[in-house]
Amino acid sequence: MSIKDIQNEIIDEFSMFEDWEERYQYMIDLGKDLPLIDNQYKTESNIIKGCQSKVWVHAELQDNKITFTADSDAIITKGIIAILIRTFSNQHPKDIIDADTDFIDAIGLKEHLSPTRANGLVSMIKQLKMYAIAYQTQLN
């Protein structure tokens, strides 16, 4: 599936819920289903800077596609990173670099987060794209 297809799928899923209480619960559930990062990658160098809670992200390049794993010590934050990993994992680095993140606004996520969580969301996206840039450089 392309990044755009996955984003559209997420928009459709979020539109099924009537209010933000249900959407938060859905994000918590997504976080619970997140494939956990291996403990060896829960290091200071894998923590995303700019997040209020701890978020660890690890990236590996396999068959020219990046696979992300992550974890967080906060349930909502874990749901947020789960959405981003679902969107960007198993994609080519160039596709991740070129992808827009308008779907975040389409589901209304940013406006329903506290300012510190919204900043964390931006930091998560930036970090995933930085991994993509690093791997794209290796591929060139």
Side-chain angles (χ1 to χ4, degrees), residues 20 29 107 111:
W20 265 93
D29 292 342
I107 62 176
E111 68 199 50

Side-chain angles (χ1 to χ4, degrees), residues 3 64 66 91-99 132-133 136 139:
I3 290 174
N64 292 338
I66 301 177
Q91 300 290 339
H92 191 279
K94 182 155 181 21
D95 295 336
I96 296 169
I97 295 164
D98 293 343
I133 290 167
Q136 182 61 42
L139 292 175

Side-chain angles (χ1 to χ4, degrees), residues 1-12:
M1 266 181 116
S2 74
I3 290 174
K4 197 73 184 154
D5 289 340
I6 295 166
Q7 290 174 341
N8 287 333
E9 197 175 80
I10 291 169
I11 291 168
D12 289 346

